[in-house]
Amino acid sequence: MPTLRLALCQVNPSVGDISGNAEHVRAWTRRAADAGAQLVLFPEMMLTGYPVEDLVFRRSFVAASKAALDRLAADLAADGLGELPVVVGYLDADGPPQVSGDAEPGRGARNAAALLHRGEVVARYFKHHLPNYGVFDEDRYFVPGGMLTVVRLGGVDVALTICEDLWQAGGPFAAARQVGVGLVVNINGSPYELNKDDIRLPLVRRRAAEAGATIAYVNMIGGQDELVFEGDSMIVAADGTLLTRAPQFVEHLLVHDVALPEATERGAHPAAGETDGVELADGLRVVRRTVDSIPPAPTGPAAAGGVIEPVADEAEVWQALVLGLRDYVDKNRFPSVVLGLSGGIDSAVVAAIAVDALGADRVVGVSLPSQHSSEHSREDAADLAKRTGLDYRIEPIQPMVDTFLANMSLSGIAVENLQARVRGVILMALSNQEGHLVLTTGNKSELAVGYSTLYGDSVGGFNPIKDVWKTLVWRLAKWRNAEAARLGGTPPIPENSIGKPPSAELSPGQLDSDTLPDYDVLDPILIGYIDGDLGREGLVASGHTPAMVDKVLRMVDTAEYKRRQSAPGTKISMKAFGRDRRLPITNRWREHG
Amino acid sequence: MPTLRLALCQVNPSVGDISGNAEHVRAWTRRAADAGAQLVLFPEMMLTGYPVEDLVFRRSFVAASKAALDRLAADLAADGLGELPVVVGYLDADGPPQVSGDAEPGRGARNAAALLHRGEVVARYFKHHLPNYGVFDEDRYFVPGGMLTVVRLGGVDVALTICEDLWQAGGPFAAARQVGVGLVVNINGSPYELNKDDIRLPLVRRRAAEAGATIAYVNMIGGQDELVFEGDSMIVAADGTLLTRAPQFVEHLLVHDVALPEATERGAHPAAGETDGVELADGLRVVRRTVDSIPPAPTGPAAAGGVIEPVADEAEVWQALVLGLRDYVDKNRFPSVVLGLSGGIDSAVVAAIAVDALGADRVVGVSLPSQHSSEHSREDAADLAKRTGLDYRIEPIQPMVDTFLANMSLSGIAVENLQARVRGVILMALSNQEGHLVLTTGNKSELAVGYSTLYGDSVGGFNPIKDVWKTLVWRLAKWRNAEAARLGGTPPIPENSIGKPPSAELSPGQLDSDTLPDYDVLDPILIGYIDGDLGREGLVASGHTPAMVDKVLRMVDTAEYKRRQSAPGTKISMKAFGRDRRLPITNRWREHG
């Protein structure tokens, strides 16, 4: 049985930075070679980043991806790395992009993988199963591939697959069993969802059994707008044994020696030809390629990548939020961020995330007190600043609020919202003056019921916790403080911000509980309605009282949201780490009684 | 040859208002019956409205659509209309909605049509070709149908099809020829695009030839968020003759007598069975149903719907903008709108659209002068108010601007943007206080290059001209004034607003041309880049100078946009009446040199 040393490069590409991504491949291939690798794997759409959305329709972009692939093959050879086979994801096209319904059937843009060797593109594979649900729209962009690409290298037959190919039964994994391969490579741009790692491992095991082969699963990491990619790369043997598994949310070179069946042993391989001519699962045709030589088996001890232990949910979410924010700021080249500090839990958690992501010297926190701000709010904001070391400012809003009130006749909600909007204007002025990105701090629960001010506290270019329910915000705060204490550091979040009852402080003595149900009651209903697509009956059946269900659904659907904001024209994303809801704004469907 | 009196109901459904839409069907079926109709047709997804987006995934919503269809059939019979066959679009499902990749193949939610008769659902059809480009995401929502539904009524074989079935070759139209039908019904939710009517008629003619049958094409009208449906319903004979065509953008009952071949004359029909068992184009199976009797042929003169003449582009766009705004306001139940009036062309055009859509008594225009506002700006705003009769207010911003400046150290762009943001706060305060929806007035050219202030002039729930290039804004203004003069009314837009050089008036003597190329130069480049997906080379090849292309692309991609806004987190929709661009925010791809 041959042994291959595999190197899974769990790296962080940037969308659109084709030359930078290619440089990244060269640098990591060098590292893999230094570790004795005999086959190197990079994630899905490595050269372009993922997802590129409608850039697919720009011919210049597709051409740049294809040219970069050829240049990369040549550059690797020039680097002295030509003997080492490298699998890399890229954007290909064998026809014009499918921009309307009358495109040529079966031809168009492709989500592709290539195997590079000795300066050449030795093999190509086009993703067969295209995801078109949740955050994915790949039927919009790509034409599905119809071939199973099998490369013989180092005496082993290796099939190439991409991401969703793993998530659907049949297709390339079933076909791989039919032709009898030893290893299936699966390259990914698989976004993070809470607990997705818990379903990923069993899924890889199921496909390993289906293919009767070892699976090398490599995923990217990084933040891309509203998505976070988590890594969690792994190798699973044909019998389901987890051989090695990489940590989440960090770049990582996972090098591991894998014993694989010799191609001729399997008895299923005719002489390599262009295709076998046999129809496989899903109508796939096999395309065979051969790599004549690979680097010799390394001497010395076997390489073992180790198996990372799963972490607590709170740790996982925290790392996802930190990575998502860091990449949004850095990939868009913002020098720093600014946010309002109210003394409450939401802004405290966002500040702590920002400091973890960027360092305290790149975070500006502004206290924006009004006449309704309590003494403890100002103290808690100052305490947070001291604990985290961020750049702390105080900008009282009362003079501006008073001037508006002196020049207009406003009352009630209009006065409440005015205060939030003056804060927004101040933060945006600091952004314009000093270059910071403004961070928004509304949690998902209050966004869902409209308990926020449009163009007020909703001002900002990025909201790290917009997909985090309020009850999870509290859990995150407690976890982060405990983690600091465990490591002997300063807990960043004031205990008082965690313990006190939440308040918008826009009118005297105001509390969230004046308007909203307790978050312990509210959040499960919101989760069922928004994430679970449950209707009124389904929510009542899962144990909520009809009156409470009606109250919450009415808030979400119309009343509170409209009354407070007066302008529903901005779609609120209800995405929850990969669960994306797209709902009409103009919509008279009402679940509530 | 039998003659059938067809009634095409070009109506305006509301998304989510299932019971209201059903009532609309009953009322219009009554009107059709009164006109002697023998077959009545309503648009795609008539019962639910279109598009319903992720409401498809809510079981309660699907169940409500199916129940409403059965109830509608019974109600029509109870209304004494049971003899009259009615075709109506609705949402069906024959399996759980496809929310992830592992749904049951071939089963799921359906974009469906039903034929109702004598209180029963006599026939169903599931849309075969699903559009998944531009504004359409139907692969996300629906499973394609695999049958050709043919109903024999009044001696004629009638095939049912839905919208995209017409836009792609093959499928139900080709199958309809194979089984030899006399009439193909095509029900639509087809959104407006500039000049789409010019390609629609030739397309219907091509399909009539393909099917060898008359086509009855019925489309909805109305606004739904960012879409406008235009109507343009028509009947085209098998030989391509346009028999009748309805006006755009208004509800209309199009009644027309059509001579159709008798089913038995065609010689292609075996005895009606469940299916013929023959495989047709695209693998479709035929499903046959029979309606035993229909209302008798009316006596008296033949019904002729007439053929509407096409209108000028400006008239078409103006009507689309008016309808889109009216429905957004009314379907969301806003009492009125408010907008800032600068004296410039953009706000003047938006005000004129709003008055046409809602009436002057539902439009509030606010002049928000600063120290940089010229005398002519104030005069032009007042002149517009007088011409249109809208509710005119003046709210000077200088006291608030001065208070911010006294309390913060701001300069340059920060001071410019501050003025726009104070205006936004004032408009939102009026919205909260009085209940108006705030209208935004930025044109598509300035949005594309970032020549606007985030949370300043971008504040608002709806922007009627966000998909209108600046050069088209001017053309619209001139057309609307000429139209008023032609009809003997008052031209709504001051000539001075049309003729003067555009300026943001945020600093002394500022003009758009200080920063931007002339709009006659800018717009063609933007159209090529954004609507046409042309890259730098393609733009240069189409005649623009490389330097100008680089300047404009740099503005669009990064520089101006970021510098002025400091927060690119809000995706700008680049939709142009049905052309939708979805681009990553975090994106390092650069076309420009």
Side-chain angles (χ1 to χ4, degrees):
Chain A
M1 239 185 186
T3 293
L4 283 186
R5 181 165 294 182
L6 306 184
L8 281 60
C9 299
Q10 176 175 298
V11 296
N12 188 350
S14 293
V15 163
D17 186 11
I18 295 177
S19 58
N21 294 333
E23 286 307 304
H24 217 54
V25 171
R26 290 171 72 180
W28 280 68
T29 302
R30 162 68 61 203
R31 287 185 56 190
D34 291 347
Q38 296 171 285
L39 174 60
V40 185
L41 311 178
F42 286 91
E44 182 178 13
M45 297 282 271
M46 176 70 210
L47 284 186
T48 55
Y50 181 84
V52 296
E53 305 186 54
D54 282 13
L55 287 173
V56 164
F57 300 134
R58 204 164 287 166
R59 282 164 203 267
S60 54
F61 187 71
V62 177
S65 170
K66 293 170 75 167
L69 182 75
D70 292 336
R71 197 165 50 243
L72 174 62
D75 286 344
L76 287 170
D79 291 344
L81 301 168
E83 280 298 300
L84 182 52
V86 174
V87 174
V88 62
Y90 73 107
L91 170 62
D92 203 339
D94 57 0
Q98 181 153 359
V99 291
S100 74
D102 54 3
E104 194 182 348
R107 290 167 71 84
R110 306 285 192 168
N111 184 329
L115 188 141
L116 312 179
H117 188 247
R118 291 189 179 167
E120 303 283 337
V121 179
V122 173
R124 292 174 205 267
Y125 170 76
F126 298 153
K127 190 175 185 176
H128 176 65
H129 286 308
L130 300 176
N132 202 70
Y133 53 84
V135 301
F136 304 107
D137 290 294
E138 293 204 2
D139 283 342
R140 178 181 175 91
Y141 300 119
F142 303 115
V143 173
M147 62 189 175
L148 176 74
T149 301
V150 177
V151 183
R152 184 164 297 183
L153 57 81
V156 178
D157 275 350
V158 180
L160 305 183
T161 67
I162 304 178
C163 200
E164 183 76 6
D165 290 330
L166 181 86
W167 290 81
Q168 298 188 31
F173 283 84
R177 168 181 283 276
Q178 289 176 280
V179 303
V181 307
L183 173 69
V184 181
V185 164
N186 184 250
I187 68 172
N188 287 266
S190 178
Y192 173 66
E193 284 177 50
L194 190 59
N195 300 328
K196 194 173 186 179
D197 53 336
D198 300 336
I199 57 173
R200 183 181 286 120
L201 177 56
L203 181 73
V204 176
R205 286 183 161 138
R206 201 151 68 238
R207 290 293 171 258
E210 186 178 353
T214 298
I215 297 182
Y217 173 101
V218 59
N219 191 16
M220 63 178 59
I221 69 139
Q224 173 60 30
D225 295 348
E226 298 183 312
L227 301 178
V228 177
F229 299 94
E230 65 174 310
D232 195 26
S233 302
M234 66 179 83
I235 303 175
V236 170
D239 67 359
T241 306
L242 175 62
L243 302 178
T244 184
R245 188 174 200 174
Q248 292 165 286
F249 305 109
V250 290
E251 289 199 311
H252 189 81
L253 183 69
L254 190 68
V255 180
H256 196 85
D257 286 348
V258 187
L260 295 165
E262 179 120 23
T264 50
E265 285 173 17
R266 312 275 301 197
H269 293 284
E274 178 61 20
T275 74
D276 291 359
V278 181
E279 185 150 305
L280 302 175
D282 257 16
L284 294 173
R285 292 174 307 104
V286 65
V287 173
R288 296 185 181 280
R289 294 289 183 269
T290 302
V291 170
D292 289 331
S293 73
I294 61 172
T299 54
V307 176
I308 203 81
E309 288 302 312
V311 299
D313 283 357
E314 290 83 356
E316 196 177 277
V317 172
W318 190 272
Q319 291 174 66
L321 299 177
V322 166
L323 177 59
L325 174 60
R326 180 191 300 133
D327 274 5
Y328 192 83
V329 170
D330 287 344
K331 290 180 178 178
N332 283 305
R333 298 197 171 95
F334 285 101
S336 49
V337 298
V338 63
L339 75 159
L341 298 180
S342 70
I345 183 71
D346 295 327
S347 58
V349 164
V350 171
I353 291 167
V355 169
D356 282 0
L358 307 170
D361 57 328
R362 296 176 68 192
V363 181
V364 179
V366 188
S367 171
L368 298 150
S370 76
Q371 61 185 13
H372 303 303
S373 298
S374 57
E375 197 50 47
H376 65 76
S377 291
R378 304 172 196 224
E379 288 167 4
D380 294 341
D383 186 19
L384 171 81
K386 213 174 87 185
R387 287 165 175 271
T388 56
L390 54 74
D391 179 351
Y392 185 59
R393 323 258 183 98
I394 302 175
E395 297 277 359
I397 67 169
Q398 209 57 47
M400 286 73 106
V401 171
D402 287 344
T403 310
F404 277 101
L405 292 177
N407 285 275
M408 301 182 75
S409 292
L410 302 178
S411 59
I413 288 285
V415 177
E416 291 187 30
N417 283 340
L418 173 64
Q419 300 164 67
R421 292 193 183 113
V422 167
R423 291 185 174 120
V425 173
I426 291 172
L427 292 174
M428 287 306 297
L430 289 172
S431 168
N432 286 155
Q433 191 67 36
E434 303 177 3
H436 321 293
L437 173 71
V438 177
L439 298 185
T440 318
T441 64
N443 63 73
K444 183 166 180 166
S445 307
E446 69 181 33
L447 292 175
V449 296
Y451 197 74
S452 73
T453 300
L454 193 58
Y455 313 119
D457 48 307
S458 73
V459 156
F462 195 85
N463 179 351
I465 62 168
K466 88 172 164 50
D467 291 325
V468 182
W469 302 106
K470 183 79 171 191
T471 46
L472 181 55
V473 172
W474 274 306
R475 282 169 52 204
L476 290 175
K478 290 173 189 165
W479 172 84
R480 182 63 184 80
N481 274 3
E483 187 71 2
R486 189 175 72 80
L487 299 171
T490 306
I493 300 159
E495 282 304 317
N496 201 37
S497 295
I498 301 176
K500 68 186 174 185
S503 166
E505 293 195 336
L506 294 173
S507 62
Q510 186 179 44
L511 291 176
D512 288 15
S513 55
D514 301 340
T515 309
L516 303 179
D518 276 358
Y519 288 104
D520 285 340
V521 174
L522 179 64
D523 277 3
I525 297 176
L526 292 175
I527 291 169
Y529 189 48
I530 293 169
D531 289 351
D533 286 314
L534 289 178
R536 181 179 187 275
E537 281 181 38
L539 290 164
V540 171
S542 57
H544 306 291
T545 68
M548 185 57 76
V549 168
D550 285 342
K551 174 175 174 156
V552 173
L553 267 49
R554 192 174 299 119
M555 287 177 130
V556 175
D557 285 356
T558 47
E560 283 299 308
Y561 175 50
K562 268 200 194 163
R563 186 167 64 80
R564 295 189 76 88
Q565 307 202 337
S566 287
T570 303
K571 289 205 186 197
I572 291 183
S573 165
M574 292 299 184
K575 184 181 301 182
F577 291 125
R579 295 211 76 189
D580 183 15
R581 286 293 169 274
R582 304 176 188 173
L583 291 168
I585 300 169
T586 307
N587 169 22
R588 293 195 171 182
W589 174 247
R590 298 292 173 259
E591 291 276 351
H592 52 81
Chain B
M1 237 183 186
T3 293
L4 283 187
R5 182 164 294 181
L6 306 183
L8 282 59
C9 300
Q10 176 175 299
V11 296
N12 187 350
S14 293
V15 163
D17 186 12
I18 294 176
S19 59
N21 294 333
E23 286 308 303
H24 216 53
V25 171
R26 291 170 71 180
W28 280 68
T29 302
R30 162 68 60 202
R31 289 185 55 189
D34 291 347
Q38 296 172 286
L39 174 61
V40 185
L41 310 178
F42 286 90
E44 181 178 14
M45 296 285 270
M46 175 70 210
L47 285 185
T48 56
Y50 180 83
V52 296
E53 303 187 56
D54 282 13
L55 287 174
V56 164
F57 301 134
R58 205 164 286 167
R59 281 164 202 267
S60 55
F61 187 71
V62 178
S65 171
K66 293 170 75 169
L69 182 75
D70 292 335
R71 197 165 49 242
L72 175 62
D75 285 345
L76 287 171
D79 291 344
L81 301 168
E83 280 299 300
L84 182 52
V86 174
V87 175
V88 62
Y90 73 108
L91 170 63
D92 203 339
D94 58 0
Q98 183 153 357
V99 291
S100 74
D102 54 4
E104 193 181 348
R107 291 168 70 85
R110 305 285 191 169
N111 183 329
L115 188 141
L116 311 180
H117 188 249
R118 291 190 179 167
E120 303 283 338
V121 179
V122 172
R124 291 173 206 269
Y125 170 76
F126 298 152
K127 189 175 185 176
H128 176 65
H129 286 308
L130 300 176
N132 203 71
Y133 52 85
V135 301
F136 304 107
D137 290 293
E138 294 204 2
D139 283 341
R140 178 181 175 92
Y141 299 121
F142 302 115
V143 173
M147 61 189 175
L148 176 75
T149 301
V150 177
V151 183
R152 184 165 297 183
L153 57 81
V156 178
D157 275 350
V158 180
L160 306 182
T161 67
I162 303 178
C163 199
E164 183 77 5
D165 289 331
L166 182 86
W167 291 81
Q168 298 189 30
F173 283 83
R177 168 181 283 277
Q178 288 176 282
V179 303
V181 307
L183 174 69
V184 182
V185 164
N186 184 249
I187 68 173
N188 288 265
S190 179
Y192 173 65
E193 284 177 49
L194 190 59
N195 300 327
K196 195 174 187 178
D197 54 335
D198 300 336
I199 57 172
R200 183 181 287 121
L201 176 57
L203 182 72
V204 176
R205 286 181 162 139
R206 201 152 67 238
R207 290 292 171 259
E210 186 177 352
T214 298
I215 296 183
Y217 172 101
V218 59
N219 190 16
M220 62 178 60
I221 69 140
Q224 174 60 31
D225 295 348
E226 298 184 312
L227 302 178
V228 177
F229 299 93
E230 66 174 310
D232 195 25
S233 302
M234 65 180 82
I235 302 175
V236 170
D239 68 358
T241 307
L242 175 63
L243 301 178
T244 185
R245 187 175 201 175
Q248 292 166 285
F249 306 109
V250 290
E251 290 199 311
H252 189 80
L253 183 69
L254 190 68
V255 181
H256 197 85
D257 287 348
V258 187
L260 294 165
E262 177 119 23
T264 50
E265 285 172 17
R266 312 275 302 198
H269 293 284
E274 179 61 19
T275 75
D276 292 358
V278 181
E279 185 151 307
L280 302 174
D282 257 16
L284 295 173
R285 292 175 306 105
V286 66
V287 173
R288 296 187 182 279
R289 293 288 183 270
T290 302
V291 170
D292 290 332
S293 73
I294 60 171
T299 55
V307 175
I308 203 82
E309 289 301 312
V311 299
D313 283 357
E314 290 84 355
E316 195 177 278
V317 172
W318 191 272
Q319 292 174 65
L321 299 178
V322 167
L323 178 58
L325 175 61
R326 181 192 299 134
D327 274 5
Y328 191 84
V329 171
D330 287 344
K331 291 181 179 178
N332 284 305
R333 299 198 170 97
F334 285 101
S336 49
V337 298
V338 63
L339 73 159
L341 297 180
S342 70
I345 183 70
D346 295 327
S347 58
V349 165
V350 171
I353 291 167
V355 169
D356 282 359
L358 306 169
D361 58 327
R362 296 176 68 193
V363 181
V364 179
V366 189
S367 171
L368 298 150
S370 76
Q371 62 184 14
H372 302 304
S373 298
S374 57
E375 196 52 45
H376 66 75
S377 290
R378 303 173 197 222
E379 288 167 5
D380 294 342
D383 186 20
L384 171 81
K386 213 174 87 186
R387 288 165 175 271
T388 56
L390 55 73
D391 179 352
Y392 185 58
R393 323 258 183 100
I394 302 175
E395 297 276 359
I397 66 169
Q398 209 57 46
M400 286 73 106
V401 172
D402 288 343
T403 310
F404 278 100
L405 293 176
N407 284 275
M408 301 183 74
S409 293
L410 302 179
S411 59
I413 288 287
V415 177
E416 291 187 31
N417 283 340
L418 173 65
Q419 299 163 67
R421 292 193 183 114
V422 166
R423 292 184 173 120
V425 173
I426 291 172
L427 293 173
M428 287 306 297
L430 289 171
S431 168
N432 286 155
Q433 191 69 35
E434 304 177 4
H436 322 294
L437 173 71
V438 177
L439 298 185
T440 318
T441 64
N443 64 73
K444 184 166 178 165
S445 308
E446 69 181 33
L447 292 175
V449 295
Y451 197 72
S452 73
T453 299
L454 193 60
Y455 313 119
D457 48 308
S458 72
V459 157
F462 196 85
N463 179 350
I465 62 168
K466 88 173 165 51
D467 291 325
V468 182
W469 301 106
K470 182 79 172 190
T471 46
L472 181 56
V473 172
W474 273 306
R475 282 168 52 205
L476 290 175
K478 290 172 188 165
W479 172 85
R480 182 63 184 82
N481 275 1
E483 186 72 2
R486 189 174 71 81
L487 299 172
T490 307
I493 299 160
E495 282 304 318
N496 201 37
S497 295
I498 300 175
K500 68 186 174 186
S503 165
E505 294 196 334
L506 294 173
S507 61
Q510 186 179 43
L511 291 176
D512 288 15
S513 55
D514 301 341
T515 309
L516 304 179
D518 277 356
Y519 287 104
D520 285 340
V521 174
L522 179 64
D523 277 3
I525 297 177
L526 292 176
I527 290 169
Y529 189 49
I530 292 169
D531 289 350
D533 286 315
L534 290 178
R536 180 180 188 276
E537 281 182 36
L539 290 164
V540 171
S542 57
H544 306 290
T545 68
M548 184 58 76
V549 169
D550 286 341
K551 174 175 174 158
V552 173
L553 267 47
R554 192 174 299 118
M555 287 178 130
V556 175
D557 285 356
T558 47
E560 283 299 309
Y561 176 50
K562 266 200 194 163
R563 186 167 64 79
R564 295 188 75 88
Q565 306 202 338
S566 287
T570 303
K571 289 202 185 197
I572 291 184
S573 164
M574 293 299 185
K575 183 181 302 182
F577 291 125
R579 295 211 75 188
D580 183 17
R581 285 292 170 275
R582 304 176 188 173
L583 291 168
I585 300 169
T586 308
N587 170 22
R588 292 194 171 183
W589 174 247
R590 298 290 174 261
E591 292 276 350
H592 52 81

